Amino acid sequence: MKHLFVYTFLWIGMASFANDLTISRPILYQENGTSYTVLQISWDNAWHNKTNHDAVWVFFKLLNNNWNTRHVKVLPSGHEVVSTSNDKDLIRFEVPSDSVGLFLKPGKPFRGKIQATLKIMLDQKSFENADTYNGNFSAYGIEMVHIPKGGFILGEADTSKMDQGTLYRSNASGEFKGLFPVTAENQVIEIGPGENKLYYQAPEAYRGDQAGTIPAAFPKGVNPFYIMKYEPTQGQYARFLNALSPDQSQHRANFGGKDYYANRGSIVMEHGVYTARVPDALCNYISWDDAMAYADWAGLRPLTEFEFTKAARGTGKPGKNEFPWGTSSKSNIQRSVTDDGVLVMAQGLTESQLSDENKEWFAASFYWVMDLSGGLWERVISIGHPKGRAYLGTHGDGVLTNYGFATNEDWPKGVQETGGFGFRGGGFYGYGRAYHDFNPYSPVGYRPFGGWSGGNRAKAYGGRFGRTVNE
């Protein structure tokens, strides 16, 4: 007999307010020893061009009334496009080796809207001893951008900006010899004042310890990886909180401060449910541990400051004081943060008009990643601390500790600000404050807080996550 379970709410996807990602009414089927789900997905402005492509990361949870949440894995193969308004051959499935979720992507040249009904094969083991009758089977999606394979260059071409902690290739005396090329994913990089080593000026501890070895396993960004196209929104974070147990959510709820609602925060608790009154607002006021819990829960991982650099500027030679959109100017940007924290475009522009020629208007990077500068501070794994250099790039498995912490041992912890992460890209603190080198835009090569793991929850602090691509 077929077991049919329907999640009865329309679920709006965990991603872009700009691209209207929706995933609706996932249906769980269990029959003849197999499990699968059928769902509809839609998102605007998908692309596959000569440089790269976008994708949607999709993952599943079984939420039970007793808070025994299951992360449901997918099978390596067998997924189908049931129907679509596009060419069926356009949509491709990419399943990572850990099967924590899967990527949906345009597999050939395309620009436009993708709409499809999909059949996703699920790992039956995820349902062992689970109460599927009294639970809610949920689907989640996050828009991603694929960063292709290739070496790139670290540093800042303007040598007068070394007081910003910019990276460079050292001579024997620790002075600037040139920019630093990263040529292989397994490249071992020595940090220090020595011939051809990686180095930076750090009169204050904010930039790092100026020492150590970056090992072969540290994610460099040479091999391909995915990065979230946007920073998380408050609507996304509220849905994350609603999937946690009471013990977990009390540690991850981020709206307890007196100034939260005065500084663009909108998440509230109503009748036992977390709600974002401005769901499209950027999710500020998340600590490092909040961010890492979200990444683990979603099956993603933190990004390194090398990967941030690659995603921002691509493989070309850095210009002077260059922002992710490829110029040193901020005056042409048509994208801004509203008083309630939503990123909007001026002049009636939409992302369907984004191109390599006008990416400055959209504050889009070389690879069309949005708001790497100009939204919230991007917290990244730092090379300026031993705990950061020990990062192996492991992925989240969808499961948190009983008190809502990420479980990956190689990820730096932030409860006591123990080091290993830092801040890049700048952050929007609010109107009425003078703009400067990190409010709200910071050039790619600047890292004034690249090795600083201070700060817990604040109005300009956010996060962004990624995933390594199977090869």
Side-chain angles (χ1 to χ4, degrees):
M1 179 178 179
K2 181 183 292 186
H3 171 196
L4 174 63
F5 176 83
V6 182
Y7 181 35
T8 56
F9 299 98
L10 175 66
W11 189 87
I12 302 300
M14 279 189 60
S16 162
F17 47 89
N19 283 342
D20 296 324
L21 170 63
T22 60
I23 299 175
S24 59
R25 298 191 183 278
I27 304 173
L28 174 64
Y29 292 90
Q30 293 186 309
E31 54 187 358
N32 302 322
T34 63
S35 297
Y36 62 92
T37 185
V38 176
L39 53 81
Q40 294 80 46
I41 187 168
S42 172
W43 79 96
D44 296 340
N45 305 317
W47 83 86
H48 182 132
N49 58 31
K50 63 182 181 180
T51 301
N52 69 327
H53 62 81
D54 76 334
V56 175
W57 171 246
V58 179
F59 56 99
F60 302 93
K61 307 278 184 179
L62 180 64
L63 312 178
N64 289 318
N65 293 332
N66 62 0
W67 304 109
N68 181 25
T69 298
R70 298 288 188 94
H71 188 96
V72 178
K73 291 187 175 185
V74 302
L75 292 183
S77 61
H79 315 295
E80 299 177 21
V81 178
V82 177
S83 63
T84 180
S85 60
N86 310 100
D87 178 354
K88 274 195 174 185
D89 292 335
L90 170 68
I91 301 172
R92 305 288 172 82
F93 302 95
E94 180 182 333
V95 181
S97 57
D98 61 8
S99 297
V100 168
L102 77 167
F103 291 100
L104 306 175
K105 61 183 183 181
K108 57 185 179 181
F110 178 78
R111 184 77 182 275
K113 183 170 186 173
I114 288 180
Q115 291 179 295
T117 299
L118 306 175
K119 178 181 179 181
I120 307 296
M121 303 304 298
L122 305 173
D123 185 355
Q124 181 67 17
K125 294 179 182 178
S126 297
F127 298 100
E128 289 181 354
N129 301 316
D131 183 2
T132 56
Y133 286 97
N134 297 305
N136 287 329
F137 178 70
S138 305
Y140 303 84
I142 299 176
E143 283 187 79
M144 310 291 286
V145 174
H146 181 267
I147 308 300
K149 186 172 185 175
F152 61 101
I153 300 173
L154 296 169
E156 164 57 55
D158 185 350
T159 56
S160 70
K161 297 298 183 179
M162 292 169 62
D163 61 347
Q164 296 285 348
T166 58
L167 302 172
Y168 60 87
R169 186 160 54 99
S170 172
N171 65 14
S173 302
E175 299 169 332
F176 182 91
K177 183 178 180 180
L179 301 176
F180 193 95
V182 181
T183 57
E185 188 66 31
N186 62 354
Q187 185 175 349
V188 177
I189 300 173
E190 297 293 335
I191 303 173
E195 191 70 28
N196 294 321
K197 290 184 177 182
L198 179 66
Y199 201 47
Y200 52 92
Q201 299 303 306
E204 301 176 14
Y206 290 146
R207 292 149 203 176
D209 59 12
Q210 296 177 287
T213 299
I214 304 172
F218 183 88
K220 310 294 189 314
V222 175
N223 283 353
F225 63 96
Y226 282 100
I227 181 174
M228 289 176 65
K229 185 177 183 183
Y230 308 95
E231 293 164 307
T233 66
Q234 293 180 34
Q236 288 177 308
Y237 198 77
R239 288 186 286 271
F240 159 64
L241 292 175
N242 285 325
L244 304 182
S245 73
D247 286 341
Q248 292 172 327
S249 63
Q250 72 173 343
H251 287 88
R252 300 283 72 87
N254 66 328
F255 52 87
K258 292 182 178 180
D259 58 352
Y260 174 74
Y261 296 110
N263 289 296
R264 308 194 302 269
S266 78
I267 299 175
V268 298
M269 166 72 84
E270 296 178 330
H271 308 294
V273 177
Y274 295 97
T275 303
R277 291 176 174 168
V278 187
D280 292 341
L282 296 175
C283 191
N284 57 358
Y285 279 90
I286 54 174
S287 69
W288 175 258
D289 285 326
D290 294 336
M292 292 306 95
Y294 185 100
D296 190 358
W297 174 84
L300 301 176
R301 64 169 176 84
L303 297 159
T304 70
E305 58 175 309
F306 283 13
E307 291 173 314
F308 170 88
T309 301
K310 168 74 174 291
R313 68 164 52 128
T315 59
K317 185 177 180 179
K320 290 186 176 181
N321 308 306
E322 186 178 60
F323 294 100
W325 43 88
T327 75
S328 61
S329 171
K330 299 172 278 192
S331 60
N332 292 327
I333 294 174
Q334 301 295 305
R335 187 170 176 84
S336 61
V337 182
T338 64
D339 287 335
D340 57 5
V342 180
L343 276 161
V344 296
M345 296 300 301
Q347 311 300 328
L349 291 168
T350 69
E351 283 187 37
S352 64
Q353 298 166 280
L354 171 63
S355 70
D356 288 339
E357 290 69 36
N358 67 14
K359 60 182 182 291
E360 181 177 5
W361 297 355
F362 295 84
S365 82
F366 178 85
Y367 294 109
W368 295 6
V369 183
M370 304 296 288
D371 315 306
L372 286 172
S373 182
L376 300 174
W377 278 105
E378 307 275 342
R379 284 190 179 101
V380 292
I381 301 292
S382 175
I383 64 162
H385 191 279
K387 291 185 178 180
R389 294 189 290 271
Y391 177 56
L392 301 174
T394 63
H395 295 117
D397 61 2
V399 181
L400 305 181
T401 70
N402 290 338
Y403 291 101
F405 289 89
T407 58
N408 298 64
E409 292 297 325
D410 62 314
W411 297 8
K413 307 298 187 291
V415 176
Q416 297 176 339
E417 299 176 8
T418 55
F421 60 93
F423 294 69
R424 297 290 292 272
F428 178 69
Y429 283 88
Y431 296 105
R433 290 186 56 163
Y435 279 16
H436 44 68
D437 285 336
F438 51 84
N439 175 34
Y441 308 109
S442 185
V444 177
Y446 288 21
R447 48 188 304 278
F449 304 102
W452 181 59
S453 60
N456 196 347
R457 293 173 176 147
K459 62 182 175 181
Y461 295 176
R464 192 190 305 249
F465 319 111
R467 213 172 211 281
T468 306
V469 174
N470 286 350
E471 291 196 288

